[in-house]
Amino acid sequence: MLLVGNGRVLTRDPAMPYLEDGAVLIEGEEISAVGPAAKLKAEYPQAEFVDAHGGLIMPGLINAHTHIYSGLARGLSIAGNNPTNFYEILDGTWWAIDRRLTLDGTKACAYATILECIRNGVTTIFDHHASFGQIRGSLFAIRDAAQELGIRACLCYEVSERDGMDKCQQAIDENAEFIRWAREEDSDMIRAMFGGHALFTISDKTFEKMVRANDGMTGFHIHVAEGMNDVYDSLRSYGCRPINRLLYNGILGPKTLLGHCIHVSPAEMDIIKETGTMVVNNPESNMGNAVGCAPVLQMMKKGMAVGMGTDAYTHDMLESLKVFLLIQRHNACLPNVAWNEDMQMLFENNARIAGVYFKKPLGVLRTGAAADLIIMDYKPFTPFSEENADGHILFGMTGRNCRTTIINGRVLYKDREFIGIDEEGINAWTLEQARKLWGDLNHRQY
């Protein structure tokens, strides 16, 4: 039994949204009580106390779209790679990396990503993986790292024809095998989706194979209209726009998550809304790839469920929170838009997306919810209350303010030190794998 207290509590629960001096009681994998600190201390004197040191106790953050396969790319430069468009970014950088990932490389990417997530207060990830150098067993390698380090994860493998039909079939098989494992295991820590890359790398015949292999077991997690490549290819080759292709191929639905959706028309938005399909926006990645600004404000006006991801550009969800507001205001030429949408995406819609796949409620501190919470080390120098907490988070915090991370009732990171995790050993092994990958990419030793 843990009692997390000595701080403000921001619950994201409308029934009791904020406590100036509150505490959260954890029993096993669930939250069993939230209330005034003095009251819970008196009622549960035997509980192990986790000191918030006057910080902000809040639900763990959810990243609705990331890419573990980019975990070893920090600081990497590939000789001769100078992309001038989106396709060249994919082919010259990300496909070049994933074509060289072995199972060890994939696991090293997972270690690097997960440690950074925990350090930044991210307790749940939806990952979209690719390692065309070694496909079979890659999702299980990520699963092993996730279970070892203790993060909550929903995994899939991106199906693509870009490296030929044999590897495309391997990707389909890897998804199907992992989904079957996840269904049988029925763990609330590791779930599965069926992944697909961008539509311009997937034919209708492959979509048919994906739907058949999935057999209704789970939803699809797929990149859509991130660049204009999808739009041009769908119109030229299939006589329709990307969302129509997905509709005709049976991909859309309330369990499916569409990444990006930058170049979608109002009619396509209506299809997404009517099918109950979810969308995830990745503002920093979209800006970095120069592919455009997603029409999220219009999507949310239509009542679409739009969440927030990072596309692995960062593992700091609060960084994405900041950037979303800026790009949407810049795009709209209005300084008074996107605030409500920003907060709703990260704190409400990501929890809603997670709720489709995980059993216990996430993104909220209340009785019966999953014991996923973080402590942000934040000492305000202006008034702080329920009314302006989001303003403090947006303008005063980053992921590195996280001092303690608890996932599924386990203290994984306390006072900026990992607990029960050999960070030095993991980093040393990960660095060895990164040297191998970088050497392979640039044909020299590192």
Side-chain angles (χ1 to χ4, degrees):
M1 183 182 293
L2 299 175
L3 184 63
V4 185
N6 188 27
R8 298 175 173 88
V9 178
L10 186 63
T11 67
R12 301 290 171 188
D13 178 9
M16 185 173 57
Y18 179 74
L19 291 158
E20 181 67 22
D21 183 12
V24 179
L25 184 70
I26 296 171
E27 293 188 82
E29 301 171 354
E30 294 184 1
I31 293 170
S32 59
V34 179
K39 179 175 182 292
L40 291 181
K41 276 187 174 181
E43 291 179 358
Y44 302 96
Q46 76 280 18
E48 177 185 347
F49 189 69
V50 178
D51 194 345
H53 299 280
L56 180 66
I57 304 164
M58 58 186 278
L61 300 170
I62 299 163
N63 187 342
H65 182 79
T66 191
H67 291 291
I68 275 173
Y69 70 77
S70 69
L72 303 184
R74 182 176 295 174
L76 171 65
S77 177
I78 302 175
N81 182 37
N82 183 30
T84 61
N85 58 53
F86 182 51
Y87 181 83
E88 290 178 1
I89 291 170
L90 293 174
D91 191 50
T93 305
W94 304 117
W95 295 351
I97 289 172
D98 81 57
R99 284 171 178 143
R100 290 164 174 81
L101 280 181
T102 63
L103 288 184
D104 280 347
T106 289
K107 193 169 185 179
C109 287
Y111 277 141
T113 298
I114 294 167
L115 288 179
E116 279 293 280
C117 287
I118 293 171
R119 191 181 277 116
N120 281 278
V122 174
T123 55
T124 301
I125 57 173
F126 281 72
D127 187 67
H128 195 277
H129 183 62
S131 54
F132 279 79
Q134 198 166 358
I135 297 170
R136 297 191 188 280
S138 58
L139 293 182
F140 293 90
I142 295 172
R143 172 207 65 187
D144 292 346
Q147 289 179 328
E148 179 183 342
L149 299 181
I151 201 167
R152 203 179 297 273
C154 185
L155 309 178
C156 72
Y157 191 97
E158 66 173 45
V159 172
S160 172
E161 297 173 21
R162 64 179 181 260
D163 282 356
M165 296 310 297
D166 179 60
K167 290 199 173 183
C168 178
Q169 186 60 53
Q170 288 183 43
I172 291 171
D173 293 342
E174 180 69 6
N175 273 306
E177 185 177 352
F178 189 76
I179 291 164
R180 286 192 292 268
W181 172 86
R183 280 168 59 89
E184 185 175 341
E185 188 73 11
D186 198 26
S187 164
D188 209 30
M189 292 300 292
I190 306 291
R191 311 298 282 183
M193 298 183 76
F194 205 112
H197 189 248
L199 278 73
F200 73 92
T201 73
I202 304 174
S203 68
D204 281 358
K205 186 174 182 179
T206 291
F207 273 134
E208 183 180 340
K209 291 179 181 178
M210 290 167 63
V211 170
R212 187 184 309 119
N214 186 29
D215 194 26
M217 291 187 290
T218 189
F220 295 90
H221 189 171
I222 184 167
H223 293 168
V224 179
E226 182 177 3
M228 286 298 292
N229 310 64
D230 274 355
V231 179
Y232 296 149
D233 181 71
S234 291
L235 288 172
R236 280 195 301 256
S237 303
Y238 302 96
C240 63
R241 292 184 64 90
I243 296 301
N244 297 84
R245 272 196 73 202
L246 295 175
L247 177 67
Y248 303 153
N249 281 287
I251 301 296
L252 302 181
K255 290 184 178 181
T256 287
L257 183 60
L258 309 181
H260 304 290
C261 289
I262 298 169
H263 304 286
V264 293
S265 69
E268 288 178 290
M269 293 183 210
D270 289 337
I271 293 172
I272 295 171
K273 172 64 169 63
E274 290 305 312
T275 56
T277 305
M278 303 172 289
V279 173
V280 57
N281 179 236
N282 306 277
E284 286 181 283
S285 172
N286 297 161
M287 293 174 73
N289 289 332
V291 289
C293 175
V296 174
L297 304 186
Q298 289 77 16
M299 291 179 187
M300 294 184 74
K301 282 181 183 177
K302 289 177 177 287
M304 293 166 57
V306 185
M308 185 174 291
T310 65
D311 210 30
Y313 196 92
T314 179
H315 304 298
D316 182 347
M317 294 306 301
L318 302 188
E319 188 178 304
S320 287
L321 190 78
K322 293 169 172 42
V323 173
F324 174 82
L325 188 74
L326 299 179
I327 187 176
Q328 292 294 332
R329 288 183 173 181
H330 177 79
N331 187 64
C333 298
L334 289 170
N336 64 344
V337 300
W339 176 282
N340 291 334
E341 290 86 353
D342 202 11
M343 300 302 157
Q344 183 180 339
M345 287 165 66
L346 180 58
F347 298 117
E348 294 179 32
N349 289 357
N350 276 13
R352 176 179 170 184
I353 290 168
V356 174
Y357 282 92
F358 295 95
K359 301 173 187 177
K360 289 189 283 291
L362 302 178
V364 64
L365 304 181
R366 68 166 181 252
T367 301
D372 293 5
L373 60 88
I374 59 177
I375 299 170
M376 301 299 280
D377 190 7
Y378 183 69
K379 304 297 192 296
F381 51 82
T382 57
F384 187 109
S385 68
E386 174 189 341
E387 294 179 349
N388 68 4
D390 286 345
H392 279 275
I393 290 172
L394 181 65
F395 295 110
M397 299 183 199
T398 68
R400 293 297 174 136
N401 281 97
C402 180
R403 70 177 298 150
T404 296
T405 301
I406 299 171
I407 305 178
N408 204 40
R410 290 177 56 198
V411 180
L412 301 178
Y413 185 67
K414 184 177 181 182
D415 297 331
R416 294 193 169 85
E417 296 285 342
F418 285 102
I419 306 298
I421 294 172
D422 181 11
E423 182 185 7
E424 293 301 320
I426 289 172
N427 283 354
W429 184 79
T430 298
L431 177 59
E432 179 184 341
Q433 302 307 314
R435 290 185 192 279
K436 292 177 182 177
L437 174 64
W438 288 26
D440 192 14
L441 283 164
N442 284 311
H443 310 291
R444 67 184 179 92
Q445 289 188 334
Y446 283 87

